[in-house]
Amino acid sequence: DVEISYTPVSVGMITDIMVIFSSDSENPQVSFNITAIGVDTAIKVEPLNIDFGGVAINTNAVSYPVRVSNIGYGKLAVFVIGLNNNSSSDFSLSSLPVSFPVYLNSSEYLIFYAEFRPSDIGSKTGSVEIKSSDKDNPMVIISLSGSGSNCDPDHMDCNNNPVDGCEVDITSDINHCGGCKRLCNPQNAKGVCI
């Protein structure tokens, strides 16, 4: 048995030929091809901060999509996506993979949603933890915030200022389309809340 080790210094495939010399008079030299791949996976998560703003109690805020991408070379393993234990129970996650780990090839991504349904009035915080095989960034944290308010479902307290209350009409404000800080800003078109 021959054991070969490989320590890549760059990403990509490398091929070579290994030659073994022996005292065997009939077969003094044996060669075979060796192929190895140097990988450097890299995780990218967007967004890293989600502020739901003021949401009427017992009302679902607009869900925020979160994109987890492999922007490196090779297969990225996503081991877990979940809420931190200190997160308010008013936050939740949906459309998560059925099981972990999930493997993402280069340029592949997955999307899940962060959700908020305040059960009472007041500020709420939380965070999402994403653990992966990215050796340089093995855990990414997304900050979550929001507050329960007395606003009707069409209005939100986006500046968290009790003086002006539920100042934003999320059905018509293109800077807060369906939720606080959700821009309705399509390229080459005029944004309209629906």
Side-chain angles (χ1 to χ4, degrees):
D1 289 345
V2 175
E3 187 175 304
I4 302 170
S5 62
Y6 171 62
T7 306
V9 293
S10 62
V11 297
M13 184 179 291
I14 185 169
T15 57
D16 208 341
I17 297 174
M18 179 176 212
V19 180
I20 299 177
F21 298 94
S22 73
S23 60
D24 183 341
S25 60
E26 291 182 20
N27 218 356
Q29 177 178 323
V30 176
S31 12
F32 53 93
N33 295 326
I34 300 172
T35 302
I37 300 174
V39 298
D40 186 16
T41 58
I43 192 170
K44 181 178 183 181
V45 178
E46 296 177 295
L48 292 175
N49 185 0
I50 299 173
D51 182 0
F52 290 94
V55 178
I57 58 173
N58 297 318
T59 302
N60 293 324
V62 174
S63 300
Y64 274 83
V66 177
R67 182 176 172 139
V68 179
S69 307
N70 178 3
I71 60 170
Y73 188 84
K75 194 172 283 192
L76 175 75
V78 179
F79 300 120
V80 68
I81 299 172
L83 291 168
N84 176 285
N85 290 336
N86 296 323
S87 296
S88 167
S89 61
D90 292 345
F91 295 106
S92 62
L93 305 176
S94 66
S95 299
L96 289 171
V98 174
S99 63
F100 289 96
V102 172
Y103 297 97
L104 301 175
N105 292 315
S106 296
S107 301
E108 286 186 338
Y109 63 90
L110 65 85
I111 294 177
F112 68 93
Y113 294 87
E115 300 177 341
F116 179 54
R117 181 183 175 95
S119 57
D120 57 11
I121 294 174
S123 296
K124 312 291 180 181
T125 60
S127 61
V128 179
E129 294 179 348
I130 302 171
K131 296 178 184 174
S132 75
S133 61
D134 181 342
K135 65 181 185 211
D136 298 321
N137 198 11
M139 184 162 65
V140 177
I141 297 175
I142 302 169
S143 298
L144 303 174
S145 60
S147 61
S149 73
N150 285 325
C151 298
D152 67 72
D154 291 340
H155 290 81
M156 294 181 87
D157 179 14
C158 293
N159 64 7
N160 292 316
N161 182 347
V163 174
D164 58 8
C166 307
E167 79 282 357
V168 176
D169 182 343
I170 61 171
T171 64
S172 63
D173 188 327
I174 63 169
N175 293 314
H176 305 280
C177 200
C180 290
K181 299 177 188 167
R182 292 183 61 100
L183 297 177
C184 182
N185 190 16
Q187 291 183 350
N188 305 316
K190 181 180 178 186
V192 176
C193 293
I194 54 172

